[in-house]
Amino acid sequence: MATKRVFHLQPCESPSPTMSDNGFLFETAGFLKCDTDEGGEGREELGEELFDTVQSSIVSGDSLRFFVSVNLESHLNAADADSSGCVLLHTSRKYLKLKNFEEEVRAHRDLDGFLARSSIILDESATSLDDVLRKMLTHVADDADNAEPRCNFDKAMSTLFTDSGAPREGNVHLLSDTIQGVTATTTGVQYQQSWLCIICTIKDLQRRRVCISRLERPQNWGENCCEVRFVILVLAPPKMKSTKTATEVGRTFATMFSDINFRQKLLETKTEEEFKDALVQRRHMLTSSNQRVPAVQEGHRSHDQKPLKFTNFLKIGKGMFDDIKRRLPLYPSDFTDGITGNNKAIGKYITTVILMYFAVLLPSMAFGSLNDESTGGAIDVQKTIVGQCLGGVIYAVLAGQPLVILLTTAPLALYISVIRGICDDYNLNFYAFYGCIGLWNSFFLTLYALFNFSLLMKLFKRSTEEIIALFISITFVVDAVKGIIKIFKQYYHDPKTKKEYASKSGDNIMKFNFTNSLSANESVNTSGYLQNQSMLELHTEVHCGRETAVLSVMLMLGTLWLGHTLYQFKKSPYLHARVREILSDCALPISVLTFSFVGSFLFKEIKIATFNYTPSDNLFVPAPFRSLTLGSIMSAMGLGFLLSMLFFIEQNIVASLTNAPENRLVKGTAYHWDLFLVAVINVPLSLFGLPWIHAAFPHAPMHVRALACVEERVENGHLYETIVNVKETRITSLVANILVGLSLRLLPFPLQWIPKPVLYGLFLYIALISIDGSQFFERLVLLLKEQTAYPPTHYIRRVPQRKIHYLTGLQVLQLLILCGIGISPLPYIKMIFPLVMIGMIPIRYNLLPRIIEEKYLDAMDAEH
């Protein structure tokens, strides 16, 4: 009785009128997401992501017919190296792509390893599958140059079949793991029955081994294996890097054997050397054919791929005009999406508004308090909240990309403190000098927008953007650490605190004795009052020392722990999925409110640092520009130019991260218009001494994430998240900024009940979640992982491991330089911080390609 295969295909009932050029591998025990849908519901979700998910149940015949039909319908224009429309079936029915010999470096290394330790059997006379495999294993075991003394190849023979260790029932004998070619045609599918790839993992094997056997005559080994001439046996240890597994090696050779002309050429070879030469020629053919596929197909940034020309910057206002023309027709939908229609998302909007309200208000309070200390009260918390509300509302209503969030940031706080120092050194009016710098900044930003300077942002590759993004995250950590160190110096290590505590305690005791010595007739009420008052003061002073410092650390770390735990709660199996999503979206407000209650009420007897609040009756007093001399105005122009470079880079990089392809935004970008709008917004802020604002990281990507529908997917045992779609709306940012403005009614209480250590914990939380999805940080973590734990990301497949670590080290060096200047204790050094960021462009284009090949740099700058 013939051996029976596990997979069967039937012709499609409604075939497509043309043949598809498919570029996919398909492994035959997992099921596609659409397999569970009844009727044609699954057909509504066509696209590449339809076949990205791998599960672990058996695929039905209808599912396989649907797979072939989808490939015939959705890949009519696909360009692939194999024009025969071939796909591959694997016994696990897991979707795979054909190996790209141009981009995946492991494809070449797999073949090079085989050629160096070639195990080729030509004209094998055995007829049964068992005999062929036994001879192949014996050939591998007898290789003296690559001996495997610990490996039991007799035991390996049994692991190749599903009935290992079990009694056979008749002649049913199934292979455990195979890859076989299938060609999709207009009338259904046809198996490539002349070759079969068998893969197996062996525990005691030390290295991967490949053996290819060419049979003397075609053999009939059952259904879909009626005329086998080539058998490829792939053996690998179980613990291997994700790109070195037995399946990946089998994928390499299956891709090569999928071409009928190549198989015919192999049949004509006479010696092993000719056989190897044919393999090498096939590799060159696959490499050259893949080079014709455009790079944008792999998901690079959505910037215009045309090279920059000088004439692009002479078309005044064209960029803004194109932005308005592109976004204006979609403006009404920015208010109706998720509110009307079938796909309502009101609940998600509510949780996002709550998240963004706290994510905007609390940093505004923190940076407002920092500005209050650095400017001597010239810019305080109240002014920061007012400026945030005005700028945020205007931007939410008029911006081309409303998902971007404007905020005053740490670099701006550093600039403001430097400006205050200059004013004190040269006896200048702070409001006038500050306003003049802000107006020059808006002037330069307007010029950048009119002359389409945002086109220069295509020079900022992903690697450069992620360095700057990680630097911003580090500034949040530095601000939090500086704040907690200041508290420790004041309450834990400062000897003055101990002396004041001792003297005040002694004074209270003297007061207590004095009141007890008064006569009962003269001071019965007074002594009781003073006694209670002195005891209260004594009680308060006892808890104003080291307890304050320790409690501050607990509040900061507790806010971080609870916020991050709730943020990751959506990945847990507890509670309902909707409840997990709500808790994750509201992680920030829940953690802040919880530990504000702990610090202000549960430990109310311990003094905790809070931000200063000085109410102002008139917030909109114009700056006295007449007090400035011509020299001061020209100095302000230089500082305004440096500030405009910071605005330009920050605004465009945050917008680029927001519009990244993996976020799947569909309404388009508006870099030039948004830059002009930021310039306009900062004009009144400069005139009235309110803090400047620009696009904030990571608040904008956080906003996108909160409005996104996210799915978890598994690839080679690694779990990762992918965004399916995003609700692109103005409502959430608009309402959140309006609520920030209404929070002025909450000053000084209850907002002053939020301790500073809780705000420091907020900074740590923002820094921690900002690295989520950062490729730079992922590659840093790879340095601490063993190779078997490497995820199968696009750069792991396309770039040699050594080159990956080279780029990571060079990025770390650039980051250290950026931190050394941006967080320098020397105030005037910080002013050249934007120039350092601009200097990263020639480093990326001129220096790095001399160390790492350009194709590898482009691969790591591409998206997954």
Side-chain angles (χ1 to χ4, degrees), residues 284-340:
H284 291 327
M285 186 180 300
L286 286 172
T287 303
S288 60
S289 61
N290 283 326
Q291 285 178 341
R292 295 194 296 266
V293 181
V296 293
Q297 186 174 328
E298 298 297 331
H300 285 261
R301 294 273 182 192
S302 57
H303 293 307
D304 187 5
Q305 297 297 318
K306 296 180 181 179
L308 284 176
K309 297 180 180 179
F310 181 73
T311 55
N312 296 135
F313 304 104
L314 300 180
K315 301 175 182 178
I316 300 177
K318 184 179 185 303
M320 287 194 293
F321 176 78
D322 291 341
D323 290 342
I324 296 174
K325 182 180 179 181
R326 178 170 54 251
R327 288 293 281 122
L328 191 59
L330 301 172
Y331 188 80
S333 66
D334 293 339
F335 292 94
T336 58
D337 286 352
I339 302 296
T340 61

Side-chain angles (χ1 to χ4, degrees), residues 240-457:
M240 294 296 292
K241 187 179 176 182
S242 59
T243 55
K244 298 180 181 180
T245 60
T247 303
E248 287 296 318
V249 179
R251 182 169 155 243
T252 299
F253 288 92
T255 302
M256 300 181 72
F257 274 79
S258 62
D259 182 66
I260 188 172
N261 296 323
F262 171 66
R263 297 196 299 272
Q264 183 63 35
K265 189 173 183 178
L266 289 180
L267 290 174
E268 298 171 358
T269 58
K270 304 297 183 182
T271 64
E272 288 190 14
E273 292 302 322
E274 292 181 3
F275 197 96
K276 292 179 183 179
D277 292 340
L279 290 173
V280 173
Q281 292 177 13
R282 174 62 176 162
R283 171 172 63 179
H284 291 327
M285 186 180 300
L286 286 172
T287 303
S288 60
S289 61
N290 283 326
Q291 285 178 341
R292 295 194 296 266
V293 181
V296 293
Q297 186 174 328
E298 298 297 331
H300 285 261
R301 294 273 182 192
S302 57
H303 293 307
D304 187 5
Q305 297 297 318
K306 296 180 181 179
L308 284 176
K309 297 180 180 179
F310 181 73
T311 55
N312 296 135
F313 304 104
L314 300 180
K315 301 175 182 178
I316 300 177
K318 184 179 185 303
M320 287 194 293
F321 176 78
D322 291 341
D323 290 342
I324 296 174
K325 182 180 179 181
R326 178 170 54 251
R327 288 293 281 122
L328 191 59
L330 301 172
Y331 188 80
S333 66
D334 293 339
F335 292 94
T336 58
D337 286 352
I339 302 296
T340 61
N342 297 326
N343 298 322
K344 294 183 179 180
I346 298 177
K348 181 175 284 292
Y349 283 8
I350 293 175
T351 56
T352 303
V353 166
I354 296 173
L355 168 66
M356 298 316 301
Y357 167 67
F358 280 90
V360 171
L361 175 64
L362 298 180
S364 297
M365 293 168 53
F367 290 124
S369 177
L370 185 62
N371 289 331
D372 188 17
E373 296 175 2
S374 62
T375 63
I379 297 178
D380 56 7
V381 175
Q382 188 178 17
K383 286 190 174 183
T384 305
I385 293 178
V386 170
Q388 176 63 44
C389 176
L390 292 178
V393 169
I394 295 173
Y395 192 85
V397 173
L398 299 178
Q401 180 48 274
L403 297 181
V404 171
I405 300 296
L406 299 191
L407 196 69
T408 187
T409 60
L412 291 181
L414 293 176
Y415 258 74
I416 292 174
S417 65
V418 172
I419 293 171
R420 181 66 192 194
I422 294 175
C423 292
D424 293 340
D425 293 341
Y426 295 95
N427 196 24
L428 299 175
N429 183 280
F430 172 76
Y431 289 113
F433 195 61
Y434 173 84
C436 189
I437 294 174
L439 292 179
W440 278 115
N441 169 54
S442 296
F443 170 75
F444 287 118
L445 289 179
T446 303
L447 292 181
Y448 301 156
L450 287 174
F451 288 95
N452 312 314
F453 274 29
S454 290
L455 294 175
L456 292 172
M457 291 310 297

Side-chain angles (χ1 to χ4, degrees), residues 73 206 272 471 557 571 767 773 778:
E73 293 172 5
Q206 295 180 356
E272 288 190 14
F471 167 76
L557 297 181
K571 300 179 181 179
E778 289 175 357

